[in-house]
Amino acid sequence: MLKLISGSFEDLKKEMKLYLENVNQKIQALEKERRRAEFEDQMKELHNLKRIYSLSKVLPVRIEGIVINYKLYKAFMKKLKGFEKHTAVLWDRLEIHYREPKTKNKGTLTLLDLSSYFRDFKHIPIAEMEEKEIETSASI
């Protein structure tokens, strides 16, 4: 499980709201244009950014140089209660390998690095893995 070691979500949430307002303003400005077809790619990109900066979907946390969606991580870890889990932090992702002891069902959750979307953020909390869950990239 991830353990937060510094930072707070309150300052981060304020920062995310500002970015989301900026994206919404850009979307509104493009929607006012009569020739929307010219801006279709830009609109798709802005709508993707809107999802990324939405507090109900994403809550970024920095771990060992990458930024992951803590909200998704936490929700998935609740579902894996009772499973054997091994976590690996790689250069561009966090992988959680899991296996159910009784049925031997197994799988992997991959959380990609979101650093490029949160590059200018100053208030992203920092987390670390509990020692028992860490694997090195060589052991995967």
Side-chain angles (χ1 to χ4, degrees):
M1 212 48 195
L2 282 179
K3 182 173 83 174
L4 294 179
I5 58 173
S6 72
S8 85
F9 287 120
E10 296 311 310
D11 293 335
L12 173 66
K13 288 178 181 181
K14 292 175 190 172
E15 205 168 2
M16 285 182 70
K17 284 180 185 180
L18 289 173
Y19 272 73
L20 184 59
E21 286 173 14
N22 185 24
V23 169
N24 284 331
Q25 288 173 356
K26 289 178 181 178
I27 289 172
Q28 288 174 352
L30 285 177
E31 285 176 344
K32 287 181 182 176
E33 290 289 324
R34 291 184 179 165
R35 299 161 287 166
R36 278 195 219 156
E38 294 176 21
F39 302 110
E40 191 171 321
D41 290 338
Q42 196 174 3
M43 287 292 282
K44 283 181 185 176
E45 184 180 328
L46 288 170
H47 281 287
N48 285 337
L49 287 176
K50 188 175 178 178
R51 275 192 295 273
I52 288 170
Y53 297 131
S54 171
L55 287 169
S56 63
K57 294 177 178 51
V58 177
L59 200 54
V61 167
R62 188 173 310 281
I63 176 167
E64 295 184 29
I66 65 171
V67 175
I68 63 163
N69 182 353
Y70 185 67
K71 196 168 267 199
L72 179 60
Y73 170 85
K74 237 176 125 176
F76 200 78
M77 292 307 279
K78 280 183 184 178
K79 294 189 185 300
L80 292 180
K81 207 168 201 159
F83 281 66
E84 296 172 2
K85 300 175 279 290
H86 300 284
T87 303
V89 180
L90 305 170
W91 69 275
D92 66 340
R93 66 191 179 276
L94 177 113
E95 288 184 349
I96 301 167
H97 302 274
Y98 55 92
R99 185 172 71 105
E100 190 175 22
K102 294 177 185 175
T103 64
K104 306 294 186 214
N105 290 335
K106 62 182 180 176
T108 302
L109 170 68
T110 302
L111 297 174
L112 297 177
D113 183 12
L114 301 175
S115 295
S116 62
Y117 298 105
F118 297 98
R119 185 172 292 123
D120 298 328
F121 280 62
K122 294 171 179 43
H123 302 289
I124 297 177
I126 298 172
E128 66 180 14
M129 276 293 166
E130 291 181 7
E131 287 299 317
K132 65 180 180 178
E133 290 190 39
I134 296 178
E135 282 188 9
T136 63
S137 57
S139 64
I140 295 175

